Amino acid sequence: MEWYRILGSIITLIGSIFLFLGALGVFRMPDLYNRMQAGTKATTLGTILTLLGIGICHYEWIGQILVIIMFIALTNPISSHALARAAHFKGIPLTKGSVTDKLKEKENIDVVVTDKLNENTEVEVD
Amino acid sequence: MIKRIFSAILLLGFVFVFFIIVNNIEEATALKGVGKEYAERSGNQELGAQNIVTAIIVTYRGLDTLGEVAVLFIAATGIAVLLRRKKKKIDPGKKKRESSEILLTGSTLLAPMIIIFGIYIFLNGHLTPGGGFQGGAVIASAIMLLFLADTSYKINHNVFGWLESLSGFAYVLIGILGLVMIGADNFLDNRILSLGTFGSILSAGAIPVIYTLIGLKVGTELASILDNMKGDLE
Amino acid sequence: MNITTIVHIIGFALIIIGFWGMLTQKNMIKIILGLAIVETGVQLVMVSFGFIEGRTAPILDSAVELSKVSSLIVDPVPQALVLTAIVIGVAVNALMLTFVIRLYQQKRSLSINDYKELKW
Amino acid sequence: MTNLPEILFQVSTYFVSAGIILATLRLIKGPSMADRVVALDTFTVISISLIVLIACMSSRIIFLDVGMVYAILSFIGVVAVARHLEGGL
Amino acid sequence: MELQQGIFILMGLAMIIAAVLAMHVKDLISSIIAVGVVSLFASILYLLMQAPDVAMTEAAIGAGLSTLVFLYALHKTKDVEEEND
């Protein structure tokens, strides 16, 4: 009985529990943005832990498993970011208890700032 | 109403036929026929390819694959003919929404990686799962990511057209080389190059070359299908 | 119940659902989606014809002994057929969608009931 | 004690399957299409784990290539639907 | 029941549910997403049936290309409608 096999399988178990909790969050959370949070952050961590556990267990596979982990770490944030942005522009409402909406504030501020900048540049040119 | 009754009768007929098939299926326990023949020949390292599916697609059934590529080419040509561009100006009020900074940066980082990964897939077609069709689809996906991220991205039609025609031409040329060098009934034979050691990357004769050509052809064709479907008015 | 039977039932159920959708839906894009489901079902059934329980994938790396290959691997021929069929399938779907786009540009409608010129 | 890793891998597979069931429920329920896209996103991430677990159970390294293809391509579908939703296609 | 058969039955049920959803739901984008889910589970079934080549093809095609082709067609048929109005 090698110790690394037990270690790897325990890490895999922890990762799969994170995956299950992420899916539970996708099912239970009240609005789209909370669901997205559970469905991307928890599942990313869960997948990385699962793959690492299997990589420790079969140590000769570790190269390809690290490549898969790198791909997931690069691609998963992009897709969730694009989805959240699209949902916000589509006007899908936040849940009732939400406190703040920074993107909306940012858009309003952005308009003001660019106006000011334009004025400044015009003044400088003149 | 009568249409609904006819469709219900048709579906019930399908259910009946499928029920008979499921009841009478006998589970396969051994290879037989062509499958056994191909497996034994590959076990004797006749072609030097580890992946038997690749050996069947590229060499044993190479003529069928040529036909499949021709079907793909005809479909792409049909789409290009049906959706030919009209010269029209987009009114400036109805512009597409630009994508975000993160998606733009991420796509410029990821697209070359995806293309290199596609090349890896079709160069390793004889060793691991994958090959020209999968690699071509991966390359087309990279171009699709660029379409999605950058609204003003355009592919170079000259380069794509030349790449597609040249790879198709070279594919047929390699097939004819088999006729010339090996024998009269050996169209698309991979033994025109040396077989090499079983299991290394430079082995299996001409299979990596043929699969690279198929990969380039499928990738450019799928990308041009996407470009035509996107069809921005100039 | 063995695995081949299970996959047969799944594939046939997908085929029947796809046909049901194609016969009852009015929207032409949805009819093509039904055809895509039928394609998936047919491909599943075709691959399951070559599956033999307890055997491994037809790739001869170090896990497969070369001297008795034909008693260790599943049937590779259906896999080779299905592989090309999938790639052809997406091109054919794109061609059908192109027809739908052209029809829409003629009549400004996606409903199949509006195209009655060739009905007897 | 000797097959403790195998038992733990089986338990992991059960957890992953339960995750798939929950995400399927969200796919059925999802009031808007954006919720269904979230379910699709969750499916893709979970199925990468499932693919690698299947590779581990059949102990063949070649199955990892499929996981690599899925890991690098699965986000493109979600990005496509997102770009369609925000009107940038 | 063995674990492998359990995974087969679970995947099959999820595929059938997604297919019925794709045909039943009114919203076309949801329908396209459901077809994507069907092809995702089909890819896992191919892998379980020891066909990694087919699984890889289904993953590469079904993940993005097929979805985007349908979305482009949807976009174009809506676009002309807006011009007409």
Side-chain angles (χ1 to χ4, degrees):
Chain A
M1 192 75 251
E2 303 94 335
W3 58 272
Y4 62 86
R5 283 182 66 87
I6 296 179
L7 178 70
S9 54
I10 288 173
I11 292 178
T12 303
L13 184 66
I14 296 171
S16 67
I17 290 173
F18 269 107
L19 281 177
F20 171 73
L21 290 178
L24 190 68
V26 169
F27 180 57
R28 291 272 305 179
M29 286 286 187
D31 73 339
L32 179 89
Y33 305 97
N34 283 320
R35 273 173 218 145
M36 204 177 294
Q37 162 119 349
T40 52
K41 281 187 182 171
T43 51
T44 306
L45 176 64
T47 312
I48 288 176
L49 281 182
T50 310
L51 297 186
L52 263 186
I54 293 173
I56 292 171
C57 205
H58 293 254
Y59 56 87
E60 68 273 17
W61 295 6
I62 194 73
Q64 284 178 329
I65 287 200
L66 284 180
V67 171
I68 297 180
I69 289 175
M70 185 188 76
F71 285 164
I72 289 172
L74 279 177
T75 59
N76 225 350
I78 295 178
S79 69
S80 51
H81 158 79
L83 185 52
R85 186 171 181 267
H88 194 277
F89 280 130
K90 194 92 197 308
I92 289 171
L94 279 70
T95 186
K96 271 180 190 168
S98 311
V99 187
T100 170
D101 189 349
K102 287 283 183 192
L103 183 53
K104 207 171 240 173
E105 292 170 19
K106 169 98 177 12
E107 277 167 6
N108 295 336
I109 293 169
D110 245 12
V111 175
V112 178
V113 167
T114 44
D115 285 353
K116 272 182 190 168
L117 277 179
N118 287 340
E119 285 170 14
N120 285 343
T121 47
E122 277 173 12
V123 169
E124 279 175 10
V125 168
D126 285 337
Chain B
M1 192 60 208
I2 210 152
K3 198 181 146 198
R4 290 197 165 249
I5 293 172
F6 269 125
S7 39
I9 290 173
L10 186 66
L11 286 181
L12 278 179
F14 269 116
V15 171
F16 182 64
V17 172
F18 291 156
F19 186 74
I20 292 175
I21 294 177
V22 169
N23 262 342
N24 293 336
I25 189 77
E26 45 186 86
E27 200 189 351
T29 49
L31 291 186
K32 41 191 166 182
V34 278
K36 190 177 181 186
E37 173 86 19
Y38 291 154
E40 277 170 358
R41 283 207 213 167
S42 297
N44 295 332
Q45 308 186 5
E46 188 194 30
L47 299 181
Q50 278 191 349
N51 189 343
I52 301 180
V53 178
T54 296
I56 290 174
I57 287 180
V58 175
T59 308
Y60 292 130
R61 295 276 161 201
L63 203 57
D64 296 0
T65 309
L66 190 61
E68 307 268 7
V69 174
V71 171
L72 203 60
F73 174 71
I74 291 169
T77 315
I79 291 169
V81 168
L82 283 170
L83 289 178
R84 47 181 191 281
R85 318 272 170 98
K86 292 169 207 152
K87 293 256 170 181
K88 224 187 208 179
K89 279 189 180 173
I90 318 169
D91 30 331
K94 212 179 67 177
K95 266 172 77 175
K96 297 172 175 176
R97 190 192 288 278
E98 292 293 326
S99 65
S100 63
E101 185 92 33
I102 295 176
L103 183 53
L104 212 58
T105 316
S107 72
T108 46
L109 175 71
L110 276 171
M113 247 159 82
I114 299 178
I115 290 179
I116 288 173
F117 184 61
I119 292 172
Y120 159 80
I121 285 179
F122 58 66
L123 281 183
N124 276 289
H126 55 296
L127 302 177
T128 56
F133 289 97
Q134 293 93 329
V138 171
I139 287 178
S141 300
I143 289 164
M144 181 176 128
L145 179 63
L146 290 175
F147 280 152
L148 285 174
D150 192 354
T151 46
S152 61
Y153 180 78
K154 285 191 180 61
I155 61 174
N156 192 338
H157 289 278
N158 267 331
V159 173
F160 271 60
W162 274 103
L163 210 58
E164 187 187 333
S165 344
L166 276 183
S167 51
F169 181 68
Y171 182 33
V172 179
L173 205 65
I174 285 179
I176 294 172
L177 268 184
L179 284 184
V180 174
M181 288 170 66
I182 310 277
D185 49 354
N186 284 314
F187 186 66
L188 275 172
D189 202 309
N190 71 326
R191 284 168 291 186
I192 53 176
L193 298 176
S194 80
L195 289 185
T197 46
F198 189 72
S200 65
I201 179 126
L202 283 179
S203 67
I207 283 182
V209 181
I210 296 174
Y211 241 0
T212 306
L213 295 174
I214 293 177
L216 286 177
K217 193 161 171 58
V218 171
T220 46
E221 264 163 12
L222 288 178
S224 68
I225 285 177
L226 281 177
D227 185 49
N228 285 319
M229 296 282 292
K230 183 182 173 225
D232 281 332
L233 307 172
E234 305 274 340
Chain C
M1 194 142 75
N2 52 26
I3 286 173
T4 316
T5 318
I6 296 172
V7 179
H8 270 82
I9 292 171
I10 296 168
F12 289 146
L14 285 183
I15 293 172
I16 287 170
I17 291 167
F19 268 122
W20 168 67
M22 284 169 76
L23 289 172
T24 55
Q25 299 293 323
K26 301 276 189 297
N27 192 322
M28 287 193 286
I29 292 181
K30 215 153 187 183
I31 293 174
I32 297 172
L33 281 171
L35 193 67
I37 293 177
V38 174
E39 271 175 21
T40 309
V42 171
Q43 288 153 6
L44 265 179
V45 174
M46 274 176 72
V47 172
S48 80
F49 276 127
F51 178 69
I52 302 168
E53 206 155 350
R55 296 196 178 189
T56 186
I59 293 171
L60 313 174
D61 58 357
S62 53
V64 179
E65 213 175 317
L66 277 184
S67 54
K68 38 185 177 178
V69 168
S70 61
S71 63
L72 285 176
I73 60 170
V74 300
D75 199 347
V77 178
Q79 299 185 12
L81 293 176
V82 171
L83 200 156
T84 46
I86 293 173
V87 180
I88 300 298
V90 73
V92 170
N93 280 349
L95 187 59
M96 281 192 292
L97 288 169
T98 310
F99 287 142
V100 171
I101 292 171
R102 292 295 288 175
L103 284 175
Y104 188 84
Q105 286 171 353
Q106 299 292 322
K107 278 205 169 184
R108 307 273 186 246
S109 164
L110 275 181
S111 168
I112 193 81
N113 285 348
D114 290 344
Y115 297 92
K116 290 190 168 169
E117 284 87 11
L118 281 179
K119 264 190 177 174
W120 61 88
Chain D
M1 194 58 194
T2 45
N3 54 0
L4 181 67
E6 273 74 25
I7 294 173
L8 287 185
F9 281 137
Q10 283 199 7
V11 176
S12 311
T13 315
Y14 287 131
F15 272 114
V16 171
S17 311
I20 285 179
I21 292 173
L22 287 174
T24 313
L25 290 178
R26 174 50 67 194
L27 181 80
I28 300 166
K29 228 169 110 179
S32 69
M33 52 201 160
D35 293 288
R36 296 201 166 102
V37 190
V38 174
L40 175 68
D41 203 4
T42 315
F43 272 138
T44 54
V45 180
I46 291 180
S47 52
I48 293 167
S49 297
L50 193 58
I51 286 170
V52 180
L53 273 171
I54 290 169
C56 179
M57 283 192 289
S58 11
S59 63
R60 300 220 41 190
I61 189 169
I62 49 172
F63 286 6
L64 287 186
D65 280 25
V66 184
M68 278 157 83
V69 170
Y70 230 104
I72 203 163
L73 290 187
S74 63
F75 82 111
I76 298 182
V78 180
V79 171
V81 182
R83 292 288 287 158
H84 184 265
L85 284 183
E86 69 179 7
L89 207 62
Chain E
M1 187 164 55
E2 286 193 15
L3 178 65
Q4 209 182 8
Q5 289 184 9
I7 298 178
F8 266 100
I9 291 176
L10 175 71
M11 291 291 150
L13 279 182
M15 276 172 88
I16 291 170
I17 287 171
V20 171
L21 189 79
M23 286 297 106
H24 186 259
V25 78
K26 294 279 178 237
D27 178 17
L28 265 177
I29 297 178
S30 297
S31 191
I32 293 169
I33 293 165
V35 174
V37 172
V38 171
S39 93
L40 195 161
F41 287 140
S43 153
I44 294 177
L45 280 189
Y46 292 137
L47 199 65
L48 277 171
M49 285 193 286
Q50 306 289 333
D53 286 276
V54 188
M56 191 186 265
T57 317
E58 185 79 41
I61 296 281
L65 274 172
S66 175
T67 313
L68 189 63
V69 166
F70 278 106
L71 282 178
Y72 273 145
L74 196 61
H75 179 70
K76 283 204 133 184
T77 48
K78 277 214 179 100
D79 200 45
V80 181
E81 193 174 46
E82 282 167 12
E83 272 179 15
N84 200 27
D85 286 343

